[in-house]
C-alpha cells in the first residue's frame, strides 16, 4: 500500500477476506478486547480532549427543537410526491398518513439532486441532533413524545428476519421483500437506484452500513435515555448482522492490529478495494456503543481496530482524506468528509474508555487532529467550537465556560439587577471557588479576572441573580486578538433541567452516560 502522497505504508500480517461472511464466522475472527480497570474507572472528564469537545450543554437547544418541529407542515399524500423546492415551507414536512408520522424530505433536502420526491430520509439524524439531546437536558414531555414517535419509526423501518420490513410492506405493498441478508439494516434513503462512485448498484430500499451505523448509534442513545431494551436490541441486530456483509480485513501497523470495512457489500461481483476513512469512523462509533452496552468485548476490539486504522491514516496522510490506503484512489487526496471522520471517532472514544480499552496513543493523535481542524477547517462544527463553549443556566444564573484554545486576560460580563458577589471556580469543585464583589454596572461592562485558560480548562461563574440575558466571556488568544463568546441561554417558556450542580452530569449524559 501507499499513502495519499505515494509513500509506502509498512504493514504486516494482512488478512483480506473479500466476501460476505455469516455473522458467527465474522465475529469469531476477532479476539476479545482486554480490559484495564484503571482505564474503566477513570473519569472521562480527566481527559482534556474530551472536556474540550464534550463538556458543553447547549441549554438553548430544547426551545429551538420544539419551535422548529412544531412548526413543520403536516401533510397527507406526501410520500412519493414531488414538492416545490422553491418554497422553503415544503423542504421538510411531517407525514400525517404514514405510521409514526416520519419527517419527509427530498434528497438532498435542499435540491433533490438524487431524488426529488418526499421520503422519510435519515430519521436517525433528526433524533441524534435534535430530539435526543433536547430531551436529555429538559425531560420535556412534548419533546419526549415526538422522540418516541420517531424512534418507533426507526423500528418500523428496520429489516427483520427473512427480509421483512413493516414500512415497505405497509407503504409499498407491491415491492418484493428484501433479501434475508438485509436483516438489521434500515430503509432510510433509497427510493431510487444509484450506481455509486465505486461501481456498486444500490437497490430500492437497500440499507447500507455507514449511514445505518449512525442510526444504530442513535438507537443506543435512545436506550440510554429511556432504558427501553428493544432499542439496544435493534442496534445490536444491525451491528451483528450487517457488518459481516462488508468483508473481513485486518493487518498490523506499528505493532498493533487494525481493521477496516468496505464501502459496499463485499463479494466477487462488487468492488472490494473501496476503503474510506469516514466509513471506518462511523462504523467504529456504532460498534463501540453496542459493544459497551451489551458487554460484547469482540465488538470493543473491532471498534478499537477501526480507530487504529484511522490513526494510521492520519499519521501517514497528514489529514483524513476521503479514501484510505487500501483504496487505489487514495492519491487523489479528496477532501470532503473530514468531520464525518473526526466526530464519530471522538464519539467512539468514551465508550472504549468506559470499556477499559486503553487509548494512550490514539488520544494523542486525535488531539493533534483536533487542533489541526480547529485551525484549518472552515465550517461547522469547528467554527462554533473554536472559541470554546459558554452556557448560562436559567435555574441559578451560573455560567460555564470550557476553553478550546489558550486565552489570557479573561473578562466576564453579565447583567444583574443588583450588586453581587461573583463566584469564580476553576472546574466544578466549590472548594476551589473565589469570590469577587462587583457592582451591577461593572459586571455589565465586564470584570477583568486576571485569569488565563488552556484548552480543556473549565470555569464556572455564578452570582445568584438568575436572568435570561446571556453572559459573555472574552480573552486574548495566542495571537493577541481579543475574542468574545456569548452564552447560550434557555427561553422563559422552555426551561431545562440543568443546574450548576447537575451541569457536569448532563454533559456526561450527552457524551456517554454512566
Amino acid at each position: 500500500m501507499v499513502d495519499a502522497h505515494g509513500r509506502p505504508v509498512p504493514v504486516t500480517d494482512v488478512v483480506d477476506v473479500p466476501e460476505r461472511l455469516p455473522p458467527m464466522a465474522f465475529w469469531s475472527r476477532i479476539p476479545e478486547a482486554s480490559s484495564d480497570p484503571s482505564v474503566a474507572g477513570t473519569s472521562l472528564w480527566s481527559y482534556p480532549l474530551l472536556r474540550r469537545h464534550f463538556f458543553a450543554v447547549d441549554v438553548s437547544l430544547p426551545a429551538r427543537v420544539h419551535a422548529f418541529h412544531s412548526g413543520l407542515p403536516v401533510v397527507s399524500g406526501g410520500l412519493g410526491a414531488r414538492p416545490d423546492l422553491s418554497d422553503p415551507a415544503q423542504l421538510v414536512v411531517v407525514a400525517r398518513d404514514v405510521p409514526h408520522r416520519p419527517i419527509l424530505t427530498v434528497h438532498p433536502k435542499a435540491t433533490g439532486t438524487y431524488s426529488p420526491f418526499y421520503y422519510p430520509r435519515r430519521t436517525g439524524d433528526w433524533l441524534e441532533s435534535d430530539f435526543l439531546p433536547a430531551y436529555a437536558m429538559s425531560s420535556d414531555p412534548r419533546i419526549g413524545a415526538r422522540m418516541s414517535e420517531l424512534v418507533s419509526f426507526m423500528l418500523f423501518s428496520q429489516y427483520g428476519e427473512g427480509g421483512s420490513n413493516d414500512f415497505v410492506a405497509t407503504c409499498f405493498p407491491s415491492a418484493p421483500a428484501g433479501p434475508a441478508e438485509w436483516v438489521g439494516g434500515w430503509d432510510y434513503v433509497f427510493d431510487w437506484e444509484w450506481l455509486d462512485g465505486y461501481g456498486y448498484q444500490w437497490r430500492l430500499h437497500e440499507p447500507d452500513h455507514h449511514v445505518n451505523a449512525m442510526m444504530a448509534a442513535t438507537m443506543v442513545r435512545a436506550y440510554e435515555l429511556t432504558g427501553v431494551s428493544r432499542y439496544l436490541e435493534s442496534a445490536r441486530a444491525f451491528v451483528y448482522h450487517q457488518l459481516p456483509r462488508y468483508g473481513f480485513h485486518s493487518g498490523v501497523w506499528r505493532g498493533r492490529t487494525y481493521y477496516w470495512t468496505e464501502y459496499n457489500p463485499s463479494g466477487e461481483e462488487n468492488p472490494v478495494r473501496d476503503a474510506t476513512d469516514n466509513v471506518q469512523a462511523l462504523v467504529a462509533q456504532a460498534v463501540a456503543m453496542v459493544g459497551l452496552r451489551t458487554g460484547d468485548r469482540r465488538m470493543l476490539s473491532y471498534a478499537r481496530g477501526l480507530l487504529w486504522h484511522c490513526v494510521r491514516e492520519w499519521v501517514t496522510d497528514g489529514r483524513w482524506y476521503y479514501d484510505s490506503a487500501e483504496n487505489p484512489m487514495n492519491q487523489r487526496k479528496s477532501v470532503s468528509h473530514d468531520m464525518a471522520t473526526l466526530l464519530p471517532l471522538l464519539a467512539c472514544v468514551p465508550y472504549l474508555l468506559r470499556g477499559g480499552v486503553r487509548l494512550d496513543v490514539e488520544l494523542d493523535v486525535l488531539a493533534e487532529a483536533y487542533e489541526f481542524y480547529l485551525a484549518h477547517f472552515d465550517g461547522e462544527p469547528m467554527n462554533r467550537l473554536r472559541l470554546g463553549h459558554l452556557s448560562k443556566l436559567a435555574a441559578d444564573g451560573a455560567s460555564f465556560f470550557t476553553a478550546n484554545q489558550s486565552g489570557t486576560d479573561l473578562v466576564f460580563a453579565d447583567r444583574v439587577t443588583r450588586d453581587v458577589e461573583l463566584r469564580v471556580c476553576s472546574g466544578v469543585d466549590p472548594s476551589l471557588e473565589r469570590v469577587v464583589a462587583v457592582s451591577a454596572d461593572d459586571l455589565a461592562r465586564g470584570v477583568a479576572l486576571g485569569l488565563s485558560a488552556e484548552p480543556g480548562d473549565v470555569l464556572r461563574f455564578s452570582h445568584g441573580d438568575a436572568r435570561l440575558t446571556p453572559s459573555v466571556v472574552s480573552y486574548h488568544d495566542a495571537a493577541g486578538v481579543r475574542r468574545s463568546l456569548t452564552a447560550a441561554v434557555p427561553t422563559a417558556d422552555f426551561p431545562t433541567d440543568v443546574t450548576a450542580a447537575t451541569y457536569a452530569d448532563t454533559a456526561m449524559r450527552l457524551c456517554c452516560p454512566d
Side-chain angles (χ1 to χ4, degrees), residues 9-15 250-255 258:
V9 178
V11 299
T12 61
D13 302 304
V14 171
V15 177
S250 68
V252 174
W253 177 72
R254 294 191 175 178
Y258 64 85

Side-chain angles (χ1 to χ4, degrees), residues 464-502:
D465 189 353
R467 299 181 67 191
L468 291 175
T469 54
S471 55
V472 177
V473 166
S474 64
Y475 57 84
H476 285 116
D477 67 14
V481 178
R482 195 77 191 171
R483 302 295 184 182
S484 181
L485 185 63
T486 301
V489 295
T491 61
D493 62 340
F494 220 104
T496 72
D497 298 335
V498 188
T499 67
T502 64

Side-chain angles (χ1 to χ4, degrees), residues 263-336:
Y263 182 93
N264 298 308
S266 191
E268 292 182 2
E269 74 280 13
N270 298 328
V272 295
R273 307 299 295 176
D274 53 357
T276 62
D277 288 353
N278 75 96
V279 167
Q280 318 311 313
L282 292 165
V283 173
Q285 178 187 352
V287 178
M289 294 175 75
V290 172
L292 179 66
R293 296 308 179 202
T294 63
D296 191 320
R297 302 205 64 81
R298 294 183 189 274
M299 290 185 181
L300 291 176
S301 180
Y302 189 64
R304 190 218 59 81
L306 293 170
L307 172 57
W308 190 240
H309 178 279
C310 292
V311 167
R312 188 203 73 194
E313 289 292 292
W314 173 265
V315 170
T316 57
D317 285 353
R319 74 176 298 158
W320 282 306
Y321 295 110
Y322 185 74
D323 309 293
S324 301
E326 287 81 4
N327 191 323
M329 300 175 72
N330 192 33
Q331 292 181 60
R332 64 179 174 168
K333 297 182 182 179
S334 176
V335 175
S336 61

